[in-house]
Amino acid sequence: MAVEQELQSALADQDRFEALALLDLNRDRLLFLGTAEGADPELKPALEAFLLRLVTDTDNHDQFKQTEEVVFYDIAGRQLVCHYFEQGGRRGILVAVVAPQKTYKQIVKRLVKTLKPLL
């Protein structure tokens, strides 16, 4: 699957991301969830719980259309970036857990551009 390859490559090639996930909002489906090598083992279950809330809270999905990106911070200083995008009526959210003190905007935008036609 091309989506999985793109996201696995971003996790392996960059020291910026501790985890990446891709949600298909049209089908309320998790298309990808991966953590970087050496990531905290508790990160994945915590991210899964967050993603479940994100998918099931459909009332807030329309708010993403107005902002495109929402950023949360955890106690360790990591950024949890939720980047909303649409392609041909399909709606998706790329979720990136960014390591403390790392930049992400260009890489996330490049990933979204690559993933849009694959969704």
Side-chain angles (χ1 to χ4, degrees):
M1 178 180 203
V3 168
E4 186 173 329
Q5 290 172 340
E6 289 293 335
L7 293 169
Q8 286 288 8
S9 177
L11 276 173
D13 293 343
Q14 305 294 333
D15 64 344
R16 299 177 197 288
F17 303 120
E18 294 185 31
L20 288 171
L22 181 63
L23 297 170
D24 179 346
L25 293 180
N26 289 58
R27 293 184 261 163
D28 295 335
R29 241 177 78 195
L30 178 63
L31 299 177
F32 177 85
L33 174 59
T35 56
E37 192 174 315
D40 181 346
E42 298 199 13
L43 178 60
K44 193 170 186 175
L47 185 55
E48 286 173 337
F50 173 80
L51 295 171
L52 180 61
R53 286 191 309 269
L54 188 62
V55 167
T56 57
D57 189 6
T58 57
D59 291 338
N60 288 323
H61 289 180
D62 289 337
Q63 294 177 6
F64 276 108
K65 291 179 183 179
Q66 299 167 6
T67 182
E68 186 176 278
E69 189 172 277
V70 177
V71 180
F72 302 93
Y73 293 88
D74 74 0
I75 208 159
R78 291 180 293 228
Q79 299 174 68
L80 185 72
V81 178
C82 301
H83 190 95
Y84 176 83
F85 63 94
E86 291 185 18
Q87 175 72 21
R90 303 287 304 266
R91 300 171 306 136
I93 296 178
L94 176 65
V95 179
V97 178
V98 183
Q101 308 295 319
K102 298 291 183 175
T103 59
Y104 67 89
K105 286 195 183 262
Q106 285 183 325
I107 296 169
V108 166
K109 286 184 181 191
R110 194 174 323 123
L111 267 174
V112 167
K113 186 176 181 179
T114 302
L115 294 171
K116 272 184 178 183
L118 301 175
L119 186 63

